Amino acid sequence: MSLGILGFFAFLPILVALVLMVGFRWPATRAMPLAWLVAALSALLVWNMDVGVVLASTLQGFLSAITVLLIVFGALLILYTLTESGGMETINNGFHGITKDRRIQTIIIAFLFGAFLEGAAGFGTPAAIGAPLLLSLGFPPLAAVIVAVVLNSVPVTFGAVGTPIWFGLKNLDSKVQEAIASSGQDLGFASVDGFYMVIGKWAAVLNGIMAFILPLFVVCFLTRFFGQNRSWREGLPAWKFSLMASLIFAVPYVASAFLIGEEFPALLGGLIGTGGVVWLARHKMFLPEKEWDFGPQSEWEDYWTGEISTAKKIEFTSRMSQFKAWLPYVLIGLLLVVTRVKFLPFGDWVKAVELTIPNILGQEGISWSLRPFYNPGIVPFVLVAVLTMFIHSMNPSKVKQAWITSFKRIKNPTIALLFAVALVQIFKNSSMNPAEYASMPLAMAQSVAEVAGSSWPFFAAFIGALGSFITGSNTVSDLLFAGFQYGIADTLEIPRQIIVSLQAVGGAMGNMVCIHNIVAASATVGLVGMEGIILKRNVIPMLLYGVVVGIMGLLFSYVMFPGVF
């Protein structure tokens, strides 16, 4: 069978998901099971895979999804525990009174506080918390959603303690091991974990460049589309504060990627950045001379507002001290650090327990494993949620409500993720076919490589963005396309770690146009039916992001680091 036909059938499940979710606006809970079915049929009818291999791959995908679902559940449990205890309201109240300048509020809340939430929880949490917080400060609902979603991009590659890297790229493990075994040169790492760290370094550099560009662009974007004078220029006076905020964020963001690992850049960058810029704002340092605000609400466009009026904004109250409210997040950060750094023994302790299922359904090479206590969803998220019951002296009824709400909220992500990861496992295991065809990702890679040629580094990030747009997740985008990107780099003989890093960065920038995030954030501020407008506006900063990192990808691949692994 020709390479072009194989490439078409390999892409068909993704095309089905795209058409159903974008063209027909199906939710992922309906689209992903059908996309999995198309992948299974392609595996059976085109790749001639054994039925047992397809079924075992599906079960392997279901079991692998548990790893991410534990993190999602733990993140939701922390959020709703803090909501029920009054801790989240106290945190929100702490942001009031710092400054009335909407440009500065955007940088502090949507960019830096959002980055911290992304690093700690991910999975749409920053926009879901940030948008209503901005609404309560007086933002038009439409503006609140746009800035919250767009600025939740730079940290996403390292969201939920690095899940898009260490879990999203796991399908490359065997390829990396083969490269290490066959290479006679020093690749800069000697293990799969070392490879993840290299990807994290490149991704941090690429995203770090955008950390200096995107916040100021979004501020100018805000004044252009929501200011009285519709002027890009009115955002520029915030340039000093924006650059200082970017610097305070980017230094720990990049440093932690180089010195610690992929779990910490967003978490530490967001935490240190938020504290640093709040201090600057309170001391009136680097602020614009004149505060900027939206015009009178009577002059706002009708479509800017929804069912929740800004005029009837929520007034937050401190239910406890700021230290007490933030303590659960501090504990999360501390537990993550002590269980991840190499020179302490705690990492080995939490890794000691491992659940494994070898040779699923008797199929050799198809297995599953889980280290439950090393999974961030259990330690620290669930553990800290339990400790918060006592730290915040919670009423048992409120604790019960937090758990009930968390289980309810995880229902839809569970359905979508089970079938998305099952689809990915079929893709991965499609190399186990009697016809000796190239695997599905490799077939796509070889087909596209013939068309794109040496210009591929410019387009690589847009493939990652497409994956996030379709699936609603940087992690799932990496699961879908990392093998595809690796295969193209191999075929074109360009640096594989740079192309895979561009995939991880692309998945983050695709967060801006992710339908799931837009719908979820819109719901929190009462916007209904505005998804099309938000998507149209958000495409502009996404294209800017893609062009910048694409140019960097070309420079790194062919000018600065040609021939690197």
Side-chain angles (χ1 to χ4, degrees):
M1 191 172 295
S2 72
L3 181 62
I5 293 175
L6 285 175
F8 169 77
F9 279 107
F11 184 69
L12 189 58
I14 298 169
L15 180 63
V16 168
L18 180 63
V19 170
L20 292 178
M21 294 176 66
V22 179
F24 293 93
R25 298 186 179 180
W26 279 27
T29 51
R30 293 174 61 193
M32 291 315 299
L34 190 55
W36 162 83
L37 179 60
V38 173
L41 291 174
S42 292
L44 293 169
L45 302 177
V46 180
W47 270 260
N48 298 320
M49 290 173 64
D50 184 81
V51 174
V53 174
V54 174
L55 291 176
S57 299
T58 299
L59 288 176
Q60 183 186 33
F62 287 171
L63 290 167
S64 297
I66 293 173
T67 302
V68 176
L69 289 169
L70 284 172
I71 300 172
V72 177
F73 176 77
L76 290 171
L77 184 61
I78 283 289
L79 171 61
Y80 290 115
T81 298
L82 287 174
T83 300
E84 294 293 334
S85 74
M88 189 55 66
E89 185 175 359
T90 302
I91 290 171
N92 290 346
N93 184 64
F95 286 116
H96 285 241
I98 296 174
T99 176
K100 294 181 180 179
D101 193 314
R102 307 304 188 187
R103 299 166 298 187
I104 306 305
Q105 291 173 346
T106 296
I107 293 170
I108 294 174
I109 295 171
F111 178 44
L112 294 167
F113 183 52
F116 169 73
L117 291 174
E118 180 63 37
F123 300 100
T125 301
I129 293 176
L133 177 54
L134 291 169
L135 175 69
S136 75
L137 292 172
F139 277 60
L142 186 66
V145 171
I146 287 176
V147 299
V149 172
V150 169
L151 286 172
N152 184 31
S153 50
V154 172
V156 171
T157 302
F158 305 99
V161 288
T163 303
I165 300 290
W166 63 260
F167 184 80
L169 301 180
K170 73 184 188 69
N171 288 335
L172 296 180
D173 288 3
S174 60
K175 297 179 183 295
V176 174
Q177 288 168 350
E178 289 174 8
I180 294 171
S182 63
S183 178
Q185 57 182 325
D186 181 13
L187 300 176
F189 53 85
S191 66
V192 172
D193 288 342
F195 174 73
Y196 290 158
M197 192 158 185
V198 169
I199 297 300
K201 291 176 182 179
W202 283 106
V205 170
L206 292 166
N207 278 327
I209 293 169
M210 286 306 303
F212 287 89
I213 299 172
L214 190 64
L216 184 59
F217 178 84
V218 169
V219 163
C220 293
F221 193 80
L222 184 72
T223 61
R224 165 61 182 85
F225 289 101
F226 296 97
Q228 275 184 292
N229 301 319
R230 303 294 196 275
S231 169
W232 291 93
R233 188 175 299 176
E234 288 184 352
L236 293 177
W239 72 271
K240 292 181 182 178
F241 189 88
S242 179
L243 291 181
M244 282 304 301
S246 297
L247 181 65
I248 296 171
F249 167 81
V251 169
Y253 178 85
V254 175
S256 57
F258 275 77
L259 301 176
I260 307 177
E262 68 275 2
E263 292 106 330
F264 297 103
L267 188 69
L268 293 181
L271 183 61
I272 295 171
T274 301
V277 298
V278 166
W279 188 88
L280 290 178
R282 288 192 184 280
H283 288 78
K284 311 298 181 185
M285 298 178 67
F286 303 105
L287 295 178
E289 292 183 6
K290 295 182 179 180
E291 292 183 339
W292 182 88
D293 200 353
F294 305 102
Q297 291 191 32
S298 59
E299 298 180 8
W300 291 2
E301 301 288 347
D302 291 339
Y303 64 89
W304 290 6
T305 58
E307 297 172 348
I308 303 175
S309 173
T310 305
K312 299 176 182 178
K313 62 180 181 291
I314 300 169
E315 293 291 343
F316 292 120
T317 303
S318 287
R319 305 294 180 182
M320 60 191 73
S321 68
Q322 286 291 324
F323 173 78
K324 198 172 182 180
W326 278 94
L327 185 55
Y329 281 125
V330 173
L331 290 175
I332 287 172
L334 287 175
L335 286 170
L336 285 170
V337 171
V338 300
T339 56
R340 264 63 181 178
V341 293
K342 309 300 183 184
F343 56 84
L344 294 176
F346 305 110
D348 293 331
W349 295 357
V350 295
K351 289 179 181 178
V353 177
E354 184 174 9
L355 308 176
T356 61
I357 301 178
N359 300 329
I360 298 171
L361 297 182
Q363 299 297 325
E364 187 175 351
I366 301 180
S367 58
W368 170 81
S369 65
L370 171 68
R371 290 170 173 154
F373 298 112
Y374 191 67
N375 185 292
I378 304 297
V379 177
F381 290 162
V382 171
L383 175 60
V384 171
V386 172
L387 293 175
T388 302
M389 295 162 43
F390 304 100
I391 295 171
H392 290 179
S393 303
M394 293 180 65
N395 185 295
S397 64
K398 290 187 176 294
V399 174
K400 179 181 178 182
Q401 186 58 49
W403 283 78
I404 290 173
T405 305
S406 299
F407 276 113
K408 286 182 178 178
R409 294 293 185 185
I410 203 173
K411 177 185 174 183
N412 285 346
T414 296
I415 297 171
L417 198 62
L418 284 174
F419 284 96
V421 181
L423 181 153
V424 169
Q425 291 304 136
I426 291 175
F427 268 43
K428 177 184 177 182
N429 296 334
S430 60
S431 59
M432 302 167 62
N433 67 83
E436 298 185 355
Y437 291 147
S439 66
M440 291 181 177
L442 188 57
M444 283 193 292
Q446 292 172 341
S447 299
V448 174
E450 289 183 354
V451 177
S454 60
S455 65
W456 184 254
F458 182 82
F459 299 101
F462 288 102
I463 295 297
L466 174 64
S468 291
F469 176 67
I470 294 170
T471 67
S473 168
N474 191 168
T475 299
V476 180
S477 174
D478 289 347
L479 284 168
L480 280 173
F481 289 122
F484 168 78
Q485 300 270 22
Y486 190 100
I488 286 185
D490 243 358
T491 301
L492 297 176
E493 298 182 347
I494 52 182
R496 285 167 278 184
Q497 76 274 40
I498 295 176
I499 299 302
V500 174
S501 299
L502 286 166
Q503 159 63 36
V505 170
M509 80 184 195
N511 213 50
M512 300 182 195
V513 293
C514 166
I515 297 296
H516 296 165
N517 285 348
I518 290 173
V519 171
S522 297
T524 65
V525 297
L527 281 176
V528 178
M530 293 294 107
E531 293 85 1
I533 292 175
I534 296 170
L535 184 60
K536 182 179 178 181
R537 294 275 172 86
N538 288 7
V539 165
I540 300 172
M542 191 209 72
L543 289 175
L544 170 67
Y545 210 120
V547 168
V548 172
V549 299
I551 292 172
M552 292 298 100
L554 287 171
L555 289 174
F556 291 156
S557 296
Y558 297 118
V559 179
M560 300 175 69
F561 305 100
V564 178
F565 173 55

